[in-house]
Amino acid sequence: MPRTAREGERNAEETDTGRNAQPRRGCRALAAGERHGGTLVFTAPYGSSFATLDVQSSPNTQEEFITQAIHRALYSWDSNQNKPVLELATSEEVSEDGKVHTYHLRKNAVFHNGKPLTADDIIYSYKRIANPENAFPGASFIAVIKGAEDYIAGKADEISGLKKIDDHTLEITYTGTINPGFPLMQNTTVIYPSNVEDESTFGKNPVGLGAFVFKEHVPGSQVVVEKFDKYYEEGRPYLDRINIVLMAEDAARDVAFRNKEIDVSILGPTQYQAYQGEEGLKDHLLEVAEVYTRNIGFNPAFEPFKDKRVRQAINHAINAPLIIERLVKNKAYPASGWLPISSPAFDKDKAPYAYDPEKAKALLAKAGYADGFEFEVTASPNESWGVPIVEAILPMLKKVGITVKPKPVESSTLGEAVTTNNFQAFIWSNLSGPDPLNALRCYYSKTAQSACNYTSYASPEFDKLYEAAQQERDSAKQNDLLRQANNIVQDDAPVWFFNYNKAVMAYQPWIHGLVPNATELAIQPYDEIWIDETAPSSRQ
């Protein structure tokens, strides 16, 4: 998933989300120091607006801040165990072939409109997500369910792999022996109530199963949520209220954080460097190596990019390590391919593209572009993967004859441009883990561009390896297949491989319960966060 927009794939029986597994969360008494009450002022830093409040329809991380408060999916991500776990079910049973999962749903889960959770709500939600008329990005995740592809294509009225046993028992048959936790924990696969007649209200007054109830949306300013007294986890949440404040500008977040007006702030490279050297700030930094790959994606409909040698030439023409050092202030790791270093399918022996302008010129000449060409890159203002990076590569590409023009857009507009194929090239930060099978689906030819195959990549050789990996139950063999597939993507260069993100969050000393979420550090489990008595009176 893109930012404006989750380590390894395992067999279901090898994880805690396998036979008779228990969910991550459970009721417990307050630990020493924990307390209830207070208002958390949390920042949504990836845009100046929320594209929609109907989170099933949005692939953007910006809307995931809303999701985390209001909604729940069948699975959730446990940042401490670094794996998906059951969320809306208390246990599941898995068939011998690993394809049929029987879920025993929570009996105390209630939607904010008072409707108890039943199997009907999950079936309804998955059908809504997969409805071809909606063209929702989560359809590619639902496609792991048997019969979903026919439903998505409009060839069936039902998803055959979804079977209600009773109100609190749901049987799901998957197309392969996957770990369904990865696709079904996504913010685009959250569960909505099936008793809302007018679906358009989801975009104005969202109703979910989460720890907080929607109260207010001030466009361009914030979303306000308040504690849900009937949340299924006894004793949670701790907080009374959360103000999810839109704050895309790094400088604005810096001032607000220093003035104690906000409780957390995602740091850019310059701020990261500054905060590390300041007393009172350096001891309240949370860092994690995130599973995102920054890249420039090439549209194959643009003539020069149809030739692999042109795309390879661009990778050789740019000195990525220098940009990471000088501009990104080492708040990143150089990318050698799509899958990040932490991925179990990463090939440590596969050499990255070397900075070699002469080789770039030779490749351009062989492709018929000895005199170069011109293209534009659609980019947001983000200093780590936006216009500043495009400006940094201008002189490097100019040396090999290529002229680049940045096309600045708002973060929310970037997502729309990419998913609707309205670009020559784009620069973005995209999900590349923690599940390599899920990450590489974005290069599978059957994955829609609106889902995540933004460069319309198609390779029969890649597809063959990917499909074999989908069916492989042995995790080591599966990872080997995915490693080979990832190397094909690297060689074909549908993108310029820039870097893997190191995420850093600054937090006020009165904030507790934050976790090192490698899938997206800015997304935190709001129901686990609490505020101590040292907070300003306005927060207590």
Side-chain angles (χ1 to χ4, degrees), residues 97-134:
D97 66 1
K99 294 183 179 180
V100 182
H101 293 233
T102 302
Y103 297 92
H104 300 281
L105 305 179
R106 290 180 179 271
K107 295 182 179 180
N108 62 340
V110 179
F111 286 98
H112 301 156
N113 65 357
K115 184 192 182 303
L117 169 69
T118 68
D120 294 319
D121 300 305
I122 296 178
I123 294 172
Y124 160 75
S125 294
Y126 289 171
K127 288 176 66 176
R128 180 177 190 257
I129 295 164
N131 188 331
E133 294 182 2
N134 292 333

mmCIF file of all heavy atoms in Angstrom, residues 97-134:
data_model
loop_
_atom_site.group_PDB
_atom_site.id
_atom_site.type_symbol
_atom_site.label_atom_id
_atom_site.label_comp_id
_atom_site.label_asym_id
_atom_site.label_seq_id
_atom_site.Cartn_x
_atom_site.Cartn_y
_atom_site.Cartn_z
ATOM 1 N N ASP A 97 -5.375 -29.804 4.201
ATOM 2 C CA ASP A 97 -4.700 -29.256 3.014
ATOM 3 C C ASP A 97 -4.389 -27.777 3.156
ATOM 4 O O ASP A 97 -3.800 -27.164 2.259
ATOM 5 C CB ASP A 97 -5.524 -29.513 1.750
ATOM 6 C CG ASP A 97 -6.853 -28.754 1.724
ATOM 7 O OD1 ASP A 97 -7.145 -28.001 2.685
ATOM 8 O OD2 ASP A 97 -7.599 -28.917 0.740
ATOM 9 N N GLY A 98 -4.783 -27.176 4.288
ATOM 10 C CA GLY A 98 -4.432 -25.787 4.564
ATOM 11 C C GLY A 98 -5.284 -24.750 3.871
ATOM 12 O O GLY A 98 -5.055 -23.553 4.040
ATOM 13 N N LYS A 99 -6.302 -25.185 3.133
ATOM 14 C CA LYS A 99 -7.075 -24.230 2.345
ATOM 15 C C LYS A 99 -8.368 -23.769 3.015
ATOM 16 O O LYS A 99 -8.853 -22.669 2.739
ATOM 17 C CB LYS A 99 -7.409 -24.817 0.972
ATOM 18 C CG LYS A 99 -6.187 -25.048 0.091
ATOM 19 C CD LYS A 99 -6.600 -25.568 -1.278
ATOM 20 C CE LYS A 99 -5.389 -25.792 -2.180
ATOM 21 N NZ LYS A 99 -5.789 -26.288 -3.520
ATOM 22 N N VAL A 100 -8.920 -24.599 3.889
ATOM 23 C CA VAL A 100 -10.214 -24.271 4.508
ATOM 24 C C VAL A 100 -9.992 -23.867 5.964
ATOM 25 O O VAL A 100 -9.464 -24.638 6.764
ATOM 26 C CB VAL A 100 -11.185 -25.468 4.439
ATOM 27 C CG1 VAL A 100 -12.533 -25.073 5.037
ATOM 28 C CG2 VAL A 100 -11.364 -25.934 2.997
ATOM 29 N N HIS A 101 -10.398 -22.638 6.283
ATOM 30 C CA HIS A 101 -10.267 -22.105 7.639
ATOM 31 C C HIS A 101 -11.657 -21.874 8.207
ATOM 32 O O HIS A 101 -12.493 -21.226 7.569
ATOM 33 C CB HIS A 101 -9.491 -20.788 7.633
ATOM 34 C CG HIS A 101 -8.057 -20.920 7.250
ATOM 35 N ND1 HIS A 101 -7.031 -20.420 8.026
ATOM 36 C CD2 HIS A 101 -7.463 -21.494 6.160
ATOM 37 C CE1 HIS A 101 -5.869 -20.684 7.439
ATOM 38 N NE2 HIS A 101 -6.110 -21.327 6.309
ATOM 39 N N THR A 102 -11.903 -22.399 9.405
ATOM 40 C CA THR A 102 -13.180 -22.193 10.082
ATOM 41 C C THR A 102 -12.950 -21.257 11.265
ATOM 42 O O THR A 102 -12.183 -21.572 12.179
ATOM 43 C CB THR A 102 -13.769 -23.522 10.574
ATOM 44 O OG1 THR A 102 -13.939 -24.400 9.445
ATOM 45 C CG2 THR A 102 -15.132 -23.296 11.228
ATOM 46 N N TYR A 103 -13.595 -20.094 11.212
ATOM 47 C CA TYR A 103 -13.380 -19.047 12.210
ATOM 48 C C TYR A 103 -14.516 -19.027 13.225
ATOM 49 O O TYR A 103 -15.697 -19.060 12.847
ATOM 50 C CB TYR A 103 -13.300 -17.679 11.532
ATOM 51 C CG TYR A 103 -12.138 -17.542 10.586
ATOM 52 C CD1 TYR A 103 -12.289 -17.848 9.228
ATOM 53 C CD2 TYR A 103 -10.891 -17.105 11.027
ATOM 54 C CE1 TYR A 103 -11.218 -17.729 8.345
ATOM 55 C CE2 TYR A 103 -9.826 -16.985 10.151
ATOM 56 C CZ TYR A 103 -9.991 -17.305 8.816
ATOM 57 O OH TYR A 103 -8.933 -17.192 7.954
ATOM 58 N N HIS A 104 -14.145 -18.966 14.499
ATOM 59 C CA HIS A 104 -15.124 -18.823 15.567
ATOM 60 C C HIS A 104 -15.076 -17.361 16.013
ATOM 61 O O HIS A 104 -14.141 -16.921 16.685
ATOM 62 C CB HIS A 104 -14.796 -19.781 16.707
ATOM 63 C CG HIS A 104 -14.797 -21.229 16.266
ATOM 64 N ND1 HIS A 104 -15.967 -21.948 16.104
ATOM 65 C CD2 HIS A 104 -13.783 -22.053 15.893
ATOM 66 C CE1 HIS A 104 -15.675 -23.161 15.679
ATOM 67 N NE2 HIS A 104 -14.357 -23.256 15.545
ATOM 68 N N LEU A 105 -16.082 -16.612 15.599
ATOM 69 C CA LEU A 105 -16.074 -15.162 15.761
ATOM 70 C C LEU A 105 -16.361 -14.749 17.197
ATOM 71 O O LEU A 105 -17.006 -15.468 17.955
ATOM 72 C CB LEU A 105 -17.115 -14.534 14.828
ATOM 73 C CG LEU A 105 -16.990 -14.878 13.338
ATOM 74 C CD1 LEU A 105 -18.102 -14.186 12.564
ATOM 75 C CD2 LEU A 105 -15.623 -14.499 12.785
ATOM 76 N N ARG A 106 -15.877 -13.569 17.528
ATOM 77 C CA ARG A 106 -16.150 -12.999 18.845
ATOM 78 C C ARG A 106 -17.659 -12.840 19.032
ATOM 79 O O ARG A 106 -18.348 -12.336 18.133
ATOM 80 C CB ARG A 106 -15.494 -11.621 18.985
ATOM 81 C CG ARG A 106 -13.974 -11.645 19.062
ATOM 82 C CD ARG A 106 -13.463 -10.221 19.200
ATOM 83 N NE ARG A 106 -12.010 -10.185 19.314
ATOM 84 C CZ ARG A 106 -11.354 -10.270 20.462
ATOM 85 N NH1 ARG A 106 -12.034 -10.411 21.594
ATOM 86 N NH2 ARG A 106 -10.037 -10.207 20.491
ATOM 87 N N LYS A 107 -18.142 -13.201 20.215
ATOM 88 C CA LYS A 107 -19.566 -13.059 20.496
ATOM 89 C C LYS A 107 -19.885 -11.751 21.218
ATOM 90 O O LYS A 107 -21.061 -11.425 21.410
ATOM 91 C CB LYS A 107 -20.056 -14.249 21.318
ATOM 92 C CG LYS A 107 -19.979 -15.575 20.553
ATOM 93 C CD LYS A 107 -20.513 -16.737 21.373
ATOM 94 C CE LYS A 107 -20.448 -18.034 20.574
ATOM 95 N NZ LYS A 107 -20.974 -19.199 21.348
ATOM 96 N N ASN A 108 -18.819 -11.014 21.611
ATOM 97 C CA ASN A 108 -19.044 -9.752 22.328
ATOM 98 C C ASN A 108 -18.685 -8.531 21.493
ATOM 99 O O ASN A 108 -18.624 -7.420 22.013
ATOM 100 C CB ASN A 108 -18.236 -9.737 23.621
ATOM 101 C CG ASN A 108 -16.727 -9.811 23.368
ATOM 102 O OD1 ASN A 108 -16.285 -10.239 22.300
ATOM 103 N ND2 ASN A 108 -15.943 -9.402 24.349
ATOM 104 N N ALA A 109 -18.433 -8.732 20.194
ATOM 105 C CA ALA A 109 -18.091 -7.601 19.321
ATOM 106 C C ALA A 109 -19.364 -6.944 18.806
ATOM 107 O O ALA A 109 -20.246 -7.617 18.249
ATOM 108 C CB ALA A 109 -17.223 -8.067 18.158
ATOM 109 N N VAL A 110 -19.448 -5.633 18.983
ATOM 110 C CA VAL A 110 -20.636 -4.874 18.601
ATOM 111 C C VAL A 110 -20.211 -3.665 17.768
ATOM 112 O O VAL A 110 -19.248 -2.974 18.104
ATOM 113 C CB VAL A 110 -21.411 -4.383 19.852
ATOM 114 C CG1 VAL A 110 -22.635 -3.575 19.449
ATOM 115 C CG2 VAL A 110 -21.811 -5.566 20.717
ATOM 116 N N PHE A 111 -20.936 -3.422 16.683
ATOM 117 C CA PHE A 111 -20.679 -2.233 15.877
ATOM 118 C C PHE A 111 -21.148 -0.990 16.627
ATOM 119 O O PHE A 111 -21.973 -1.071 17.551
ATOM 120 C CB PHE A 111 -21.416 -2.326 14.531
ATOM 121 C CG PHE A 111 -20.801 -3.296 13.568
ATOM 122 C CD1 PHE A 111 -21.308 -4.588 13.441
ATOM 123 C CD2 PHE A 111 -19.714 -2.938 12.791
ATOM 124 C CE1 PHE A 111 -20.762 -5.485 12.545
ATOM 125 C CE2 PHE A 111 -19.141 -3.822 11.889
ATOM 126 C CZ PHE A 111 -19.673 -5.113 11.772
ATOM 127 N N HIS A 112 -20.650 0.144 16.207
ATOM 128 C CA HIS A 112 -20.997 1.403 16.860
ATOM 129 C C HIS A 112 -22.472 1.766 16.713
ATOM 130 O O HIS A 112 -22.984 2.607 17.449
ATOM 131 C CB HIS A 112 -20.122 2.539 16.312
ATOM 132 C CG HIS A 112 -18.656 2.288 16.511
ATOM 133 N ND1 HIS A 112 -17.690 2.875 15.726
ATOM 134 C CD2 HIS A 112 -17.996 1.495 17.397
ATOM 135 C CE1 HIS A 112 -16.492 2.467 16.125
ATOM 136 N NE2 HIS A 112 -16.653 1.627 17.135
ATOM 137 N N ASN A 113 -23.162 1.142 15.746
ATOM 138 C CA ASN A 113 -24.607 1.386 15.598
ATOM 139 C C ASN A 113 -25.435 0.381 16.397
ATOM 140 O O ASN A 113 -26.657 0.337 16.261
ATOM 141 C CB ASN A 113 -25.010 1.364 14.122
ATOM 142 C CG ASN A 113 -24.823 -0.009 13.474
ATOM 143 O OD1 ASN A 113 -24.345 -0.957 14.108
ATOM 144 N ND2 ASN A 113 -25.194 -0.116 12.204
ATOM 145 N N GLY A 114 -24.767 -0.440 17.224
ATOM 146 C CA GLY A 114 -25.461 -1.380 18.088
ATOM 147 C C GLY A 114 -25.633 -2.774 17.532
ATOM 148 O O GLY A 114 -26.060 -3.678 18.244
ATOM 149 N N LYS A 115 -25.285 -2.995 16.253
ATOM 150 C CA LYS A 115 -25.454 -4.319 15.658
ATOM 151 C C LYS A 115 -24.350 -5.270 16.129
ATOM 152 O O LYS A 115 -23.169 -4.958 16.005
ATOM 153 C CB LYS A 115 -25.418 -4.233 14.133
ATOM 154 C CG LYS A 115 -25.684 -5.578 13.469
ATOM 155 C CD LYS A 115 -25.376 -5.561 11.987
ATOM 156 C CE LYS A 115 -25.715 -6.912 11.372
ATOM 157 N NZ LYS A 115 -24.980 -8.032 12.036
ATOM 158 N N PRO A 116 -24.705 -6.462 16.636
ATOM 159 C CA PRO A 116 -23.678 -7.444 16.993
ATOM 160 C C PRO A 116 -22.984 -7.972 15.733
ATOM 161 O O PRO A 116 -23.609 -8.118 14.674
ATOM 162 C CB PRO A 116 -24.472 -8.562 17.689
ATOM 163 C CG PRO A 116 -25.780 -7.938 18.074
ATOM 164 C CD PRO A 116 -26.056 -6.910 17.024
ATOM 165 N N LEU A 117 -21.705 -8.270 15.841
ATOM 166 C CA LEU A 117 -20.960 -8.850 14.730
ATOM 167 C C LEU A 117 -21.437 -10.273 14.469
ATOM 168 O O LEU A 117 -21.560 -11.084 15.392
ATOM 169 C CB LEU A 117 -19.465 -8.881 15.056
ATOM 170 C CG LEU A 117 -18.577 -9.692 14.095
ATOM 171 C CD1 LEU A 117 -18.479 -9.006 12.737
ATOM 172 C CD2 LEU A 117 -17.188 -9.912 14.698
ATOM 173 N N THR A 118 -21.699 -10.572 13.198
ATOM 174 C CA THR A 118 -22.023 -11.939 12.791
ATOM 175 C C THR A 118 -21.262 -12.261 11.505
ATOM 176 O O THR A 118 -20.657 -11.379 10.879
ATOM 177 C CB THR A 118 -23.529 -12.132 12.530
ATOM 178 O OG1 THR A 118 -23.905 -11.387 11.357
ATOM 179 C CG2 THR A 118 -24.360 -11.672 13.722
ATOM 180 N N ALA A 119 -21.340 -13.514 11.104
ATOM 181 C CA ALA A 119 -20.687 -13.944 9.864
ATOM 182 C C ALA A 119 -21.229 -13.181 8.666
ATOM 183 O O ALA A 119 -20.515 -12.952 7.678
ATOM 184 C CB ALA A 119 -20.881 -15.446 9.668
ATOM 185 N N ASP A 120 -22.501 -12.761 8.756
ATOM 186 C CA ASP A 120 -23.103 -12.009 7.645
ATOM 187 C C ASP A 120 -22.350 -10.714 7.358
ATOM 188 O O ASP A 120 -22.242 -10.296 6.200
ATOM 189 C CB ASP A 120 -24.569 -11.677 7.965
ATOM 190 C CG ASP A 120 -25.445 -12.921 8.035
ATOM 191 O OD1 ASP A 120 -25.265 -13.807 7.198
ATOM 192 O OD2 ASP A 120 -26.300 -12.979 8.942
ATOM 193 N N ASP A 121 -21.832 -10.077 8.405
ATOM 194 C CA ASP A 121 -21.125 -8.810 8.221
ATOM 195 C C ASP A 121 -19.818 -9.007 7.468
ATOM 196 O O ASP A 121 -19.443 -8.171 6.635
ATOM 197 C CB ASP A 121 -20.858 -8.159 9.579
ATOM 198 C CG ASP A 121 -22.133 -7.876 10.352
ATOM 199 O OD1 ASP A 121 -23.018 -7.200 9.795
ATOM 200 O OD2 ASP A 121 -22.249 -8.354 11.495
ATOM 201 N N ILE A 122 -19.132 -10.104 7.747
ATOM 202 C CA ILE A 122 -17.877 -10.373 7.048
ATOM 203 C C ILE A 122 -18.147 -10.718 5.589
ATOM 204 O O ILE A 122 -17.472 -10.213 4.675
ATOM 205 C CB ILE A 122 -17.103 -11.504 7.760
ATOM 206 C CG1 ILE A 122 -16.706 -11.048 9.167
ATOM 207 C CG2 ILE A 122 -15.861 -11.890 6.951
ATOM 208 C CD1 ILE A 122 -15.972 -12.087 9.975
ATOM 209 N N ILE A 123 -19.154 -11.540 5.353
ATOM 210 C CA ILE A 123 -19.505 -11.881 3.972
ATOM 211 C C ILE A 123 -19.935 -10.629 3.213
ATOM 212 O O ILE A 123 -19.498 -10.395 2.076
ATOM 213 C CB ILE A 123 -20.629 -12.944 3.953
ATOM 214 C CG1 ILE A 123 -20.105 -14.269 4.531
ATOM 215 C CG2 ILE A 123 -21.163 -13.146 2.534
ATOM 216 C CD1 ILE A 123 -21.177 -15.320 4.731
ATOM 217 N N TYR A 124 -20.769 -9.828 3.839
ATOM 218 C CA TYR A 124 -21.201 -8.571 3.205
ATOM 219 C C TYR A 124 -20.003 -7.684 2.878
ATOM 220 O O TYR A 124 -19.897 -7.143 1.763
ATOM 221 C CB TYR A 124 -22.162 -7.825 4.131
ATOM 222 C CG TYR A 124 -22.283 -6.349 3.813
ATOM 223 C CD1 TYR A 124 -23.013 -5.912 2.701
ATOM 224 C CD2 TYR A 124 -21.642 -5.394 4.601
ATOM 225 C CE1 TYR A 124 -23.105 -4.562 2.394
ATOM 226 C CE2 TYR A 124 -21.734 -4.047 4.303
ATOM 227 C CZ TYR A 124 -22.462 -3.628 3.200
ATOM 228 O OH TYR A 124 -22.539 -2.299 2.888
ATOM 229 N N SER A 125 -19.103 -7.509 3.827
ATOM 230 C CA SER A 125 -17.958 -6.613 3.626
ATOM 231 C C SER A 125 -17.054 -7.099 2.503
ATOM 232 O O SER A 125 -16.624 -6.311 1.655
ATOM 233 C CB SER A 125 -17.158 -6.497 4.928
ATOM 234 O OG SER A 125 -17.925 -5.856 5.929
ATOM 235 N N TYR A 126 -16.773 -8.401 2.483
ATOM 236 C CA TYR A 126 -15.883 -8.923 1.445
ATOM 237 C C TYR A 126 -16.525 -8.827 0.062
ATOM 238 O O TYR A 126 -15.842 -8.561 -0.938
ATOM 239 C CB TYR A 126 -15.496 -10.367 1.757
ATOM 240 C CG TYR A 126 -14.548 -10.503 2.943
ATOM 241 C CD1 TYR A 126 -14.245 -11.746 3.489
ATOM 242 C CD2 TYR A 126 -13.962 -9.379 3.528
ATOM 243 C CE1 TYR A 126 -13.371 -11.868 4.573
ATOM 244 C CE2 TYR A 126 -13.100 -9.490 4.603
ATOM 245 C CZ TYR A 126 -12.815 -10.741 5.125
ATOM 246 O OH TYR A 126 -11.948 -10.844 6.191
ATOM 247 N N LYS A 127 -17.830 -9.002 -0.001
ATOM 248 C CA LYS A 127 -18.514 -8.849 -1.292
ATOM 249 C C LYS A 127 -18.514 -7.389 -1.730
ATOM 250 O O LYS A 127 -18.350 -7.092 -2.918
ATOM 251 C CB LYS A 127 -19.944 -9.378 -1.191
ATOM 252 C CG LYS A 127 -20.040 -10.898 -1.100
ATOM 253 C CD LYS A 127 -21.475 -11.366 -0.912
ATOM 254 C CE LYS A 127 -22.331 -11.063 -2.112
ATOM 255 N NZ LYS A 127 -23.713 -11.606 -1.954
ATOM 256 N N ARG A 128 -18.687 -6.482 -0.781
ATOM 257 C CA ARG A 128 -18.658 -5.055 -1.132
ATOM 258 C C ARG A 128 -17.284 -4.656 -1.651
ATOM 259 O O ARG A 128 -17.157 -3.933 -2.637
ATOM 260 C CB ARG A 128 -19.016 -4.194 0.083
ATOM 261 C CG ARG A 128 -19.005 -2.696 -0.216
ATOM 262 C CD ARG A 128 -19.433 -1.868 0.991
ATOM 263 N NE ARG A 128 -19.647 -0.481 0.612
ATOM 264 C CZ ARG A 128 -18.789 0.512 0.865
ATOM 265 N NH1 ARG A 128 -17.659 0.266 1.520
ATOM 266 N NH2 ARG A 128 -19.055 1.744 0.470
ATOM 267 N N ILE A 129 -16.243 -5.145 -0.983
ATOM 268 C CA ILE A 129 -14.870 -4.822 -1.391
ATOM 269 C C ILE A 129 -14.580 -5.388 -2.771
ATOM 270 O O ILE A 129 -13.885 -4.766 -3.585
ATOM 271 C CB ILE A 129 -13.877 -5.362 -0.350
ATOM 272 C CG1 ILE A 129 -14.056 -4.642 0.993
ATOM 273 C CG2 ILE A 129 -12.435 -5.212 -0.844
ATOM 274 C CD1 ILE A 129 -13.415 -5.353 2.163
ATOM 275 N N ALA A 130 -15.110 -6.583 -3.047
ATOM 276 C CA ALA A 130 -14.819 -7.253 -4.318
ATOM 277 C C ALA A 130 -15.785 -6.871 -5.434
ATOM 278 O O ALA A 130 -15.558 -7.265 -6.591
ATOM 279 C CB ALA A 130 -14.868 -8.774 -4.105
ATOM 280 N N ASN A 131 -16.807 -6.119 -5.121
ATOM 281 C CA ASN A 131 -17.804 -5.743 -6.130
ATOM 282 C C ASN A 131 -17.135 -5.019 -7.297
ATOM 283 O O ASN A 131 -16.519 -3.964 -7.107
ATOM 284 C CB ASN A 131 -18.860 -4.830 -5.482
ATOM 285 C CG ASN A 131 -20.042 -4.551 -6.400
ATOM 286 O OD1 ASN A 131 -19.917 -4.547 -7.623
ATOM 287 N ND2 ASN A 131 -21.197 -4.304 -5.810
ATOM 288 N N PRO A 132 -17.246 -5.555 -8.520
ATOM 289 C CA PRO A 132 -16.567 -4.915 -9.658
ATOM 290 C C PRO A 132 -17.046 -3.500 -9.931
ATOM 291 O O PRO A 132 -16.305 -2.686 -10.479
ATOM 292 C CB PRO A 132 -16.879 -5.858 -10.823
ATOM 293 C CG PRO A 132 -18.098 -6.617 -10.391
ATOM 294 C CD PRO A 132 -17.983 -6.760 -8.914
ATOM 295 N N GLU A 133 -18.274 -3.175 -9.532
ATOM 296 C CA GLU A 133 -18.779 -1.821 -9.745
ATOM 297 C C GLU A 133 -18.079 -0.815 -8.843
ATOM 298 O O GLU A 133 -17.983 0.363 -9.172
ATOM 299 C CB GLU A 133 -20.288 -1.781 -9.506
ATOM 300 C CG GLU A 133 -21.097 -2.591 -10.506
ATOM 301 C CD GLU A 133 -22.592 -2.481 -10.269
ATOM 302 O OE1 GLU A 133 -23.003 -1.745 -9.340
ATOM 303 O OE2 GLU A 133 -23.354 -3.126 -11.010
ATOM 304 N N ASN A 134 -17.567 -1.277 -7.707
ATOM 305 C CA ASN A 134 -16.869 -0.376 -6.786
ATOM 306 C C ASN A 134 -15.415 -0.167 -7.169
ATOM 307 O O ASN A 134 -14.849 0.905 -6.934
ATOM 308 C CB ASN A 134 -16.938 -0.932 -5.358
ATOM 309 C CG ASN A 134 -18.342 -0.895 -4.784
ATOM 310 O OD1 ASN A 134 -19.151 -0.059 -5.165
ATOM 311 N ND2 ASN A 134 -18.632 -1.802 -3.860
#
